[in-house]
Amino acid sequence: KMQRDISSYAIAPSVKVKLLNAGFLSAADLCDLRPLQLSKEACISQEEAVEVLQAVRCESGQERAAAGRLTALELLGREQELGTIVTFCSALDMALGGGMPVGKTTEVCGAPGVGKTQLCIQLSVDAQIPVCFGGLGGKSLYIDTEGSFLVQRAVDLAQAAVDHCGLLAEDSEQQEALKGFTVETILSNLFLVRCHDYVELLAETYLLPDFLAQHPGVRLVVIDSIAFSFRHDFEDLSQRTRLLNGLAQRLIQMATNHNVAVILTNQMTTKVWSGQSKLVPALGESWGHAATQRLILHWEGTHRYCTSTPLHGWSLEGSLPATTIICPCQGFCLALDNVTSKIDIYQTFEKLPDFHMHWVRNSLGRPPTVIKITCRLL
Amino acid sequence: MVVLRDGMCPGLSEELVVALRAADITTGTWVLINLFTLVNLASRCGNALLAIRRVLLAQHTAFPVSGADLYEDLLSSTAILSTGNPSLDKLLDSGLYTGELTELAGGPGSGKTQVCFGVAVNISYQLKQSVIYVDSTGGLSASRLLQMLQAKSCNIEEQMEALQRIQVFPVFDIFSLLGCLHHFRCVGLQQASAGGGSVKAVIVDSVSAVISPILGGKQNEGMSMMTQVAGLLKTIAKDFNVAVLVTNTVTRDGNGQLKAGLGQTWSHVPRIRILLQRLERPGSTCSSVRTATLAKSSRQPCHLKEEFDLQCWGRSEEQLYGMSGKRKHTEPS
């Protein structure tokens, strides 16, 4: 039954050629051989023979394939456990269904100056918010290719986050957590890597799985930006597409295996087509499939708008209109499916100029429960 | 073909293997093909060689099957699975046929993954059969599946049961995909899914994400691995009587027309191909309406177009037709 071709295993191509020349075509031929025998018959070194036999080991290949499987029900539980990283902009959080999803890749596109780097730095701080405040309590990795990361801005955002949580802290658990959540700890849990060209960026993504294994607390990986390294000095566009596709697969594999949120930023380019020009995300149409979710930020007048694909079903039917309960860019967002509670909240909060609310977790199959609502005057 | 080894078949002793090696014969293929040279060697190695040839032929020949038997087999085992969307069903000639490979091609945001979700939910909830979902892009969102199920039924038990019938296999590179498909082929789909119930569909979303990084350039293994994937998918569809649905990207050809990605070789692999596109209507940027064009079909004329709404799976519908089978008996297989 084990008629699997040697060529379908992850073995170096030169070794594969030697094996095929020696007449080994399927895994069954290699099953009962010892490394010394194999290296003699196929004229490969003993280390290569050991590697080949390990790759082809009859049972483990099948088990590895079956190991990662889960039912959709288990996946649902896992998705809800993983949580999201809030962006501190309620409208954006509502459009995203809570925040940036952990375990998926999200691409943020926009024209220069729309706020992609700001959003990334904000997320690096938000990923570290302690669990008792509704955050993930994790560390962040920031890969900077443009040199646009400003430490001073990160300090400002960290200070704002600490102050915000300070206002919210009520019980002893939260007071305790606040002691460990200071500007110094936030900055020390923010790992920064600087890559100067696409080769360094690709090398870094190959090293990332080891890094994440050594630092299991990392919950966010930001690459700002992918476009910069790949848009300049690339003559062979088909090679660029191949490299980008391979990169996308490695990133989603990393996001899934290590439970991190991966955020990529991309630039915009002008596409001229049948006499019209349109602003579209850079790096080509095939890159459009790379990220699980894509956010396009653009200006309209003095407001920033965000379009996200795929459409998040959450916000279409059950949530409240964005204009009603938003304290712009300073607060979590509340979404309720229960109609009666909606009216209550309207009445209470219409009287207050400013308020903070906790994000609501939608638990499995039950109607959403509100964790906490606090109203404070700023 | 197998390498000749001592004890493989009666009469093949160690001395015979050594003697054959000396004459430069290492594999069974050689023994089967070169009868003339064999006769010359027979004087040295005895009649054992001819006996071995007979044994190898008996073990490895294919058996011919009559056309009538094949047709009977097809009639009794093929089922048609509705996608849950009447417009898509019309294009597909009433649904996905088991034993066939169907492809959905479309650009980013055209709705391929949403259609896959809709099909999976329809099969697991409406038809109460299991689905295997091979996810290579990380685009599978169980919360979206739950949302679609909540629109069809308010009973939480039923929703959870339907979710349990969908088995998810995350694979992110070509070797994991090949390992996963080989695993299905070796242990069978029932054991692979382990969820009880018979598996009626295997959805691979998307096949281009794992294959496009290895095609082209100086890599010479890409085409062979792509053909292996194609062969495995077709074998799984035929042997286990399941409908296989794959998603693919699109590229533009010389005239600017849309065509499915992955090149000429892959274009011959699926039996049915549907191209999904967004509608370019002025004023509606967030619309969920898509057009589906039949690009390749063995049953209907090509270039049929249908419009449909991606949100139809998220709403409960009165008229959803269930599993219809082209067979003589009335009970489902």
Side-chain angles (χ1 to χ4, degrees), chain B residues 231-286:
Chain B
L232 280 168
L233 287 173
K234 284 190 168 174
T235 321
I236 290 174
K238 255 288 166 299
D239 288 349
F240 300 118
N241 276 320
V242 292
V244 176
L245 179 65
V246 300
T247 60
N248 193 1
T249 52
V250 283
T251 54
R252 292 201 182 264
D253 65 13
N255 303 329
Q257 292 296 314
L258 277 184
K259 62 171 188 179
L262 291 182
Q264 282 270 33
T265 318
W266 181 265
S267 68
H268 299 290
V269 172
R271 183 78 70 85
I272 314 268
R273 175 177 292 120
I274 292 188
L275 278 174
L276 292 176
Q277 280 170 278
R278 298 190 125 176
L279 271 183
E280 291 295 333
R281 277 210 195 111
S284 64
T285 42
C286 286

Side-chain angles (χ1 to χ4, degrees), chain A residues 65-355:
Chain A
R69 68 134 189 255
L70 13 119
T71 62
L73 190 60
E74 291 161 10
L75 190 63
L76 185 66
R78 211 184 121 198
E79 275 178 19
Q80 297 188 336
E81 259 173 41
L82 284 179
T84 53
I85 303 179
V86 288
T87 60
F88 267 105
C89 173
S90 353
L92 191 54
D93 283 336
M94 190 128 73
L96 290 171
M100 295 292 182
V102 172
K104 309 273 183 202
T105 48
T106 308
E107 185 187 347
V108 179
C109 316
V114 77
K116 307 184 292 289
T117 304
Q118 290 303 302
L119 185 60
C120 290
I121 303 179
Q122 179 75 66
L123 287 168
S124 320
V125 171
D126 293 345
Q128 303 184 32
I129 294 176
V131 179
C132 50
F133 287 101
L136 294 180
K139 306 181 188 176
S140 319
L141 172 67
Y142 196 104
I143 302 179
D144 185 12
T145 60
E146 293 176 335
S148 49
F149 182 85
L150 296 167
V151 181
Q152 195 49 51
R153 185 69 184 142
V155 169
D156 292 340
L157 292 172
Q159 189 62 55
V162 170
D163 294 342
H164 180 94
C165 288
L167 287 174
L168 290 175
E170 282 195 350
D171 52 36
S172 57
E173 192 195 345
Q174 290 180 332
Q175 305 280 5
E176 199 50 49
L178 254 191
K179 290 184 194 153
F181 188 60
T182 62
V183 176
E184 286 78 29
T185 53
I186 294 178
L187 291 179
S188 63
N189 284 332
L190 178 60
F191 301 101
L192 182 63
V193 178
R194 178 85 171 88
C195 294
H196 297 90
D197 58 23
Y198 76 93
V199 178
E200 283 184 34
L201 180 59
L202 287 175
E204 187 60 39
T205 54
Y206 277 107
L207 295 173
L208 272 180
D210 290 332
F211 176 85
L212 291 175
Q214 283 164 7
H215 298 89
V218 174
R219 287 272 88 82
L220 173 72
V221 173
V222 175
I223 303 186
D224 178 26
S225 64
I226 292 258
F228 187 75
S229 353
F230 280 95
R231 283 181 89 184
H232 308 288
D233 307 324
F234 237 107
E235 286 114 23
D236 189 354
L237 282 184
S238 59
Q239 189 198 27
R240 184 181 87 170
T241 312
R242 273 196 305 280
L243 289 175
L244 284 173
N245 289 345
L247 175 66
Q249 288 305 111
R250 280 200 301 282
L251 288 176
I252 182 66
Q253 181 163 26
M254 211 167 57
T256 315
N257 292 345
H258 294 103
N259 292 334
V260 292
V262 178
I263 313 288
L264 314 166
T265 52
N266 194 4
Q267 297 165 351
M268 302 294 270
T269 183
T270 314
K271 181 167 154 184
V272 182
W273 191 36
S274 61
Q276 290 174 330
S277 75
K278 213 168 72 157
L279 215 57
V280 294
L283 296 181
E285 231 182 272
S286 65
W287 176 251
H289 296 107
T292 317
Q293 186 166 16
R294 187 182 237 185
L295 299 178
I296 304 183
L297 306 177
H298 58 272
W299 290 99
E300 240 166 86
T302 51
H303 291 282
R304 288 181 177 85
Y305 281 82
C306 158
T307 331
S308 86
T309 49
L311 294 172
H312 247 280
W314 292 118
S315 31
L316 288 177
E317 307 261 354
S319 63
L320 304 161
T323 46
T324 319
I325 303 192
I326 304 251
C327 179
C329 297
Q330 267 290 324
F332 302 84
C333 144
L334 185 71
L336 291 174
D337 286 341
N338 192 333
V339 179
T340 52
S341 320
K342 178 170 142 183
I343 301 173
D344 293 341
I345 302 295
Y346 272 130
Q347 286 172 340
T348 325
F349 290 127
E350 258 165 24
K351 302 173 195 160
L352 300 171
D354 275 310
F355 42 82

Side-chain angles (χ1 to χ4, degrees), chain A residues 69-76, chain B residues 116-125 128-135 140-142 144-146 148-149 159-169 192-196 198-199 201-203:
Chain A
R69 68 134 189 255
L70 13 119
T71 62
L73 190 60
E74 291 161 10
L75 190 63
L76 185 66
Chain B
C116 290
F117 287 172
V119 168
V121 159
N122 195 56
I123 295 178
S124 84
Y125 176 73
K128 307 251 185 301
Q129 304 290 326
S130 298
V131 178
I132 287 189
Y133 198 109
V134 179
D135 180 26
L140 178 64
S141 155
R144 176 74 181 134
L145 289 176
L146 180 66
M148 286 175 161
L149 283 168
Q159 292 165 10
M160 299 300 133
E161 266 176 30
L163 279 183
Q164 270 182 323
R165 283 192 276 262
I166 303 177
Q167 282 282 338
V168 180
F169 287 81
S193 81
S198 57
V199 178
V202 173
I203 303 179

Side-chain angles (χ1 to χ4, degrees), chain B residues 81-85 88-89 96 104 111-127 131 133 140-141 144-145 148-149 152 166 203 205 245 308-315 320:
Chain B
L81 311 169
S82 160
T83 58
N85 183 318
L88 269 185
D89 283 344
L96 295 170
L104 285 174
K112 312 182 285 295
T113 309
Q114 293 296 308
V115 173
C116 290
F117 287 172
V119 168
V121 159
N122 195 56
I123 295 178
S124 84
Y125 176 73
Q126 209 74 32
L127 309 179
V131 178
Y133 198 109
L140 178 64
S141 155
R144 176 74 181 134
L145 289 176
M148 286 175 161
L149 283 168
K152 287 185 191 285
I166 303 177
I203 303 179
D205 176 26
L245 179 65
F308 67 102
D309 192 341
L310 283 177
Q311 287 188 333
C312 89
W313 283 285
R315 298 192 206 115
L320 275 173

Side-chain angles (χ1 to χ4, degrees), chain B residues 126-192:
Chain B
Q126 209 74 32
L127 309 179
K128 307 251 185 301
Q129 304 290 326
S130 298
V131 178
I132 287 189
Y133 198 109
V134 179
D135 180 26
S136 71
T137 55
L140 178 64
S141 155
S143 4
R144 176 74 181 134
L145 289 176
L146 180 66
Q147 200 185 24
M148 286 175 161
L149 283 168
Q150 280 169 341
K152 287 185 191 285
S153 131
C154 307
N155 185 343
I156 294 187
E157 281 283 322
E158 285 180 8
Q159 292 165 10
M160 299 300 133
E161 266 176 30
L163 279 183
Q164 270 182 323
R165 283 192 276 262
I166 303 177
Q167 282 282 338
V168 180
F169 287 81
V171 291
F172 298 112
D173 62 282
I174 185 69
F175 300 109
S176 324
L177 178 62
L178 284 169
C180 193
L181 293 177
H182 271 286
H183 174 69
F184 292 158
R185 210 175 138 211
C186 283
V187 308
L189 290 180
Q190 312 307 334
Q191 253 192 299

